[in-house]
Amino acid sequence: MKRNEMMDRPVINNDVREYLRTAQKPLPGKLGEIQREANEKRVPVIPHETVVFLDWLFPHLQPKRVLEVGTAVGFSASLMAQRMPEEGHLTTIERNPVMIEKAKKTFTELGLEDKIALKEGQAQDVLQELDGPFDFIFMDSAKAKYYDFFPYCMKLLKTNGVLAVDDILQGGTILQPDEEIPRRRRKIHRKLNEFLDVVLTHPSLQSSILPLGDGLLLITKKEDADFSFMEPKIEE
């Protein structure tokens, strides 16, 4: 598996990061085993400080319909599904065939096949086929696509619903000038900055960035708004 260099670039002090990852309660049971195995094999699952936050957040939000964009091995989807109300249901989207098979195995091992629907395909296509509203959306996919996916997520999110966007700070490099970013990462850098320019200032949104992992952005949709200007342009 290709190594994600941002996994080792903390946006906070290294000692603080290690404290957040080691001092807080570990996950129990089979899900905890899956988390430990993923960390040992350097599989890019959400870090433990984000796990603990979602573990705390979900009982407060009590979301009954959850959407995830970017399944990977199915760890975060399983965490959220286990913390949802009994009647809750989660939909997750993944395009990578290898990850799809790993996620299916994860859901089977945890007995979550009836609570999680895995949609296979390009997220942009699947998002336009889904019916809302969703109470909570977790976006953890291709960072350069956050800008493009956002308007579709807003259409699916209920009023006062929450969109959580992971890995928003890019190891702290999000603030650096474009010319200081390696050429291979400049597209991601530009698109994430364009995305942040919209969501942090839009009057219909209330947003907060938490320094968890590589930055977790929380967005509440206070009212419906037209974000169609962000939708990808169809080339003729």
Side-chain angles (χ1 to χ4, degrees), residues 12-28:
I12 57 175
N13 179 285
N14 254 316
D15 292 336
V16 174
R17 180 189 68 168
E18 289 308 305
Y19 179 76
L20 293 176
R21 293 185 180 180
T22 58
Q24 302 190 85
K25 291 180 182 178
L27 284 176

Side-chain angles (χ1 to χ4, degrees), residues 63-118:
K64 293 182 180 179
R65 291 197 73 201
V66 172
L67 172 64
E68 179 184 56
V69 185
T71 313
V73 297
F75 171 71
S76 52
S78 298
L79 172 71
M80 292 186 287
Q82 287 189 347
R83 272 51 177 182
M84 292 171 67
E86 186 175 349
E87 70 274 21
H89 191 269
L90 184 145
T91 300
T92 184
I93 306 170
E94 181 58 52
R95 67 173 184 175
N96 186 315
V98 175
M99 292 299 175
I100 288 170
E101 291 308 308
K102 289 180 181 294
K104 288 180 178 178
K105 179 183 177 183
T106 298
F107 302 151
T108 299
E109 290 179 348
L110 294 170
L112 293 171
E113 307 101 309
D114 294 335
K115 199 161 188 174
I116 299 176
L118 175 56

Side-chain angles (χ1 to χ4, degrees), residues 9 170-182 189 193:
R9 297 190 64 169
Q170 289 294 283
T173 64
I174 195 70
L175 302 176
Q176 293 178 1
D178 203 53
E179 59 270 16
E180 294 182 11
I181 303 299
H189 183 75
N193 272 286

Side-chain angles (χ1 to χ4, degrees), residues 30 32-43:
K30 183 61 180 179
E33 293 178 16
I34 292 172
Q35 181 192 30
R36 288 189 290 275
E37 182 179 350
N39 289 332
E40 290 170 2
K41 294 182 177 180
R42 306 294 292 157
V43 176

Side-chain angles (χ1 to χ4, degrees), residues 81-223:
Q82 287 189 347
R83 272 51 177 182
M84 292 171 67
E86 186 175 349
E87 70 274 21
H89 191 269
L90 184 145
T91 300
T92 184
I93 306 170
E94 181 58 52
R95 67 173 184 175
N96 186 315
V98 175
M99 292 299 175
I100 288 170
E101 291 308 308
K102 289 180 181 294
K104 288 180 178 178
K105 179 183 177 183
T106 298
F107 302 151
T108 299
E109 290 179 348
L110 294 170
L112 293 171
E113 307 101 309
D114 294 335
K115 199 161 188 174
I116 299 176
L118 175 56
K119 301 291 186 180
E120 303 177 23
Q122 297 289 342
Q124 187 172 310
D125 297 331
V126 177
L127 285 170
Q128 295 177 73
E129 298 169 356
L130 294 175
D131 293 321
F134 288 92
D135 305 312
F136 184 88
I137 299 177
F138 185 59
M139 187 153 59
D140 187 15
S141 56
K143 316 313 168 194
K145 291 291 187 179
Y146 283 176
Y147 185 97
D148 297 339
F149 295 164
F150 179 75
Y152 304 117
C153 289
M154 284 295 102
K155 290 177 183 177
L156 292 169
L157 187 67
K158 75 174 186 180
T159 302
N160 291 319
V162 176
L163 168 64
V165 185
D166 202 24
D167 299 326
I168 201 69
L169 296 178
Q170 289 294 283
T173 64
I174 195 70
L175 302 176
Q176 293 178 1
D178 203 53
E179 59 270 16
E180 294 182 11
I181 303 299
R183 289 187 180 276
R184 70 182 186 281
R185 301 197 64 84
R186 284 184 186 174
K187 180 181 179 181
I188 295 175
H189 183 75
R190 290 169 184 162
K191 295 294 286 187
L192 280 178
N193 272 286
E194 290 174 10
F195 174 63
L196 287 170
D197 286 344
V198 173
V199 301
L200 294 180
T201 61
H202 199 282
S204 297
L205 307 174
Q206 184 176 5
S207 302
S208 177
I209 299 176
L210 303 180
L212 299 172
D214 193 16
L216 182 68
L217 171 64
L218 299 175
I219 303 167
T220 300
K221 186 174 84 170
K222 306 304 293 183
E223 58 185 12

